[in-house]
Amino acid sequence: MENLLTSNIADTFLTQLQCPQCGAVYAASDLNTVCRTEGCHSTLFAHYNTTVHFDKRVLKLRPANMWRYREMLPVINPANIVTLGEGFTPIIPIVNSPNVTEGNEVLIKNEAGNPTGSFKARGISMAVSKAKELGVKTIAIPTAGNAGGALSAYAARAGIKAVVYMPQLTPDLFKDECRLYGADLVEVDGNISDCGKLIHDQAAEKGWFPISTLREPYRLEGKKTMGYEIAEQLNWQLPDVICYPTGGGTGLIGIWKAFDEMEQLGWIGPERPRMVAVQSESCNGIVNAINTNSDSASFIDGGFTIANGLRVPKSYADKIIIKVLRESRGTAIAISDQEMQAGVRELAINEGLFVAPEGAALWQAYKKLKASGWINYGERVVLVNTGSGYKYLENIDRDLW
């Protein structure tokens, strides 16, 4: 079956890094963060040689993890891959809520089964692998919870030192997880943006390589594998709508990038899902930007939300997120903590799924968009649940039970 890849088999088709805003090109062999063009400073995208014949049937014999798409991933030497078995998570249909789903096929892409319990394992596996390949000794990350635990685990696996800055209001489980894996944990009286500023100020002085969301090129490459999997698991027929919980937005951008790459490879056609960014009412800058027809999001921090991953006052790549939503004819919607609490309970008791509050927000967003007529009869909808509800037990109101 491997002979279906008729070109010389390569470990990666990676060619270069490029800025999607100004077009500046950077060598993939160098350690890069963001675009260095004056006044730009955009996230950098990895580019691949998609003119090589790559038959998707070769995937059938490969392991069920995200590295099955290795030619379209940026690690050059496979010896540098740092993996704990992340990726190829199941797509599960909603079956016991016909009063809500009638007329639609609603599917949950359930990322809870990833190592460390969330989709962060994908991006962190990729970033740590590439950092190892480029000789990095210490990685620092600002996190609302899950990314810190993932970095701590993957850095331990790689033999790289991890430094994690985390808001004090983060549930203790996330803090204990980092300490257990041996990371240096710093609690910050503030939000994830405050954590990021502190790391940025200290990284050069202390020799850390910071991997803040979308301020280095490779976490995006791990997250994009969700897009490849959605296509493959649905027999290369993309859904009509994808709802995605949007804090930093790496996954939403990555999924969209994956669709473009697969079209260039000839694996799918030009049809695309409508992308929906789902935010917390506490941090709803993307929603406001879409509603006011703005090209960028304002900084909004309404304080604590039970969906820790959604407390991102302003994404570094807000302009790219908004561009994806507009290109896809998508939208953005904000959900309250009370609605998330109810969604967690509803999916648990009806479907046997204990999703993160971020995943519950998607369920509530689907119901609202369907009720408004934005989601049409007969459409297939994928909700990307980004993590396990077990990690959020401190946040969830016990009175619901």
Side-chain angles (χ1 to χ4, degrees), residues 343-399:
V344 168
R345 174 63 169 168
E346 190 173 338
L347 288 172
I349 200 167
N350 292 335
E351 302 293 337
L353 293 168
F354 190 11
V355 301
E358 293 88 342
L362 304 181
W363 175 239
Q364 300 291 32
Y366 159 72
K367 291 193 290 183
K368 287 187 172 187
L369 292 171
K370 180 176 181 177
S372 72
W374 193 89
I375 290 176
N376 301 312
Y377 188 92
E379 291 191 312
R380 175 188 273 181
V381 181
V382 170
L383 315 178
V384 183
N385 171 50
T386 49
S388 170
Y390 291 105
K391 300 187 76 173
Y392 293 79
L393 282 170
E394 286 180 54
N395 287 359
I396 296 170
D397 186 355
R398 302 300 203 276
D399 291 341

Side-chain angles (χ1 to χ4, degrees), residues 22-341:
C22 73
V25 173
Y26 297 87
S29 57
D30 296 337
L31 188 62
N32 289 282
T33 52
V34 298
C35 180
R36 296 188 292 275
T37 300
E38 185 175 355
C40 184
H41 310 302
S42 168
T43 300
L44 296 178
F45 283 6
H47 281 251
Y48 301 84
N49 179 8
T50 54
T51 65
V52 178
H53 178 65
F54 184 8
D55 193 316
K56 61 180 179 286
R57 289 177 294 172
V58 77
L59 301 172
K60 292 181 180 179
L61 294 183
R62 292 187 175 177
N65 60 48
M66 76 175 191
W67 297 96
R68 64 198 282 109
Y69 310 109
R70 60 180 182 261
E71 290 84 354
M72 297 301 294
L73 298 176
V75 176
I76 295 169
N77 183 350
N80 292 314
I81 291 175
V82 182
T83 179
L84 294 169
E86 55 289 329
F88 224 74
T89 55
I91 292 182
I92 302 168
I94 297 294
V95 295
N96 294 327
S97 305
N99 58 318
V100 178
T101 61
E102 183 181 5
N104 297 117
E105 182 183 11
V106 182
L107 307 166
I108 289 186
K109 173 73 169 163
N110 194 11
E111 292 289 291
N114 275 307
T116 69
S118 86
F119 72 141
K120 297 292 186 181
R122 294 177 185 266
I124 298 299
S125 171
M126 192 66 64
V128 170
S129 297
K130 198 62 185 176
K132 178 182 175 182
E133 186 160 76
L134 294 172
V136 171
K137 303 301 182 185
T138 302
I139 300 176
I141 192 170
T143 178
N146 276 313
L151 175 63
S152 302
Y154 282 90
R157 183 76 172 176
I160 294 173
K161 183 177 178 59
V163 180
V164 178
Y165 278 56
M166 186 180 290
Q168 287 177 350
L169 288 177
T170 305
D172 287 339
L173 183 150
F174 294 100
K175 301 171 187 176
D176 293 341
E177 183 180 28
C178 296
R179 295 186 180 106
L180 177 66
Y181 289 123
D184 290 347
L185 177 67
V186 179
E187 296 184 47
V188 176
D189 183 13
N191 56 44
I192 191 172
S193 296
D194 299 315
C195 295
K197 290 174 185 175
L198 289 170
I199 285 178
H200 179 77
D201 291 343
Q202 297 183 47
E205 175 188 340
K206 298 190 176 183
W208 301 340
F209 181 65
I211 57 167
S212 302
T213 301
L214 291 166
R215 296 197 189 199
E216 58 79 46
Y218 299 114
R219 286 176 68 179
L220 178 69
E221 294 303 292
K223 294 281 189 69
K224 82 179 183 187
T225 58
M226 290 185 286
Y228 279 86
E229 289 176 21
I230 288 169
E232 184 177 0
Q233 290 171 312
L234 298 181
N235 197 28
W236 309 106
Q237 298 295 315
L238 300 184
D240 299 290
V241 176
I242 294 178
C243 295
Y244 193 87
T246 306
T250 314
L252 186 146
I253 296 169
I255 289 170
W256 195 250
K257 182 175 187 285
F259 295 158
D260 285 345
E261 291 174 353
M262 285 187 283
E263 182 180 0
Q264 292 168 29
L265 289 167
W267 291 5
I268 63 173
E271 297 80 10
R272 294 289 186 274
R274 304 196 307 283
M275 305 295 290
V276 179
V278 181
Q279 296 197 289
S280 165
E281 287 186 349
S282 175
C283 294
N284 60 350
I286 298 295
V287 174
N288 285 354
I290 291 297
N291 290 342
T292 60
N293 202 32
S294 175
D295 291 332
S296 63
S298 54
F299 185 100
I300 298 175
D301 184 10
F304 177 80
T305 170
I306 63 169
N308 299 92
L310 296 183
R311 191 182 175 189
V312 179
K314 180 178 170 67
S315 170
Y316 186 76
D318 57 330
K319 293 180 181 178
I320 302 176
I321 295 169
I322 293 165
K323 184 173 183 284
V324 168
L325 296 179
R326 294 214 170 106
E327 285 181 355
S328 73
R329 298 174 294 108
T331 192
I333 185 171
I335 303 297
S336 71
D337 274 17
Q338 292 75 20
E339 289 170 319
M340 291 185 222
Q341 294 267 20

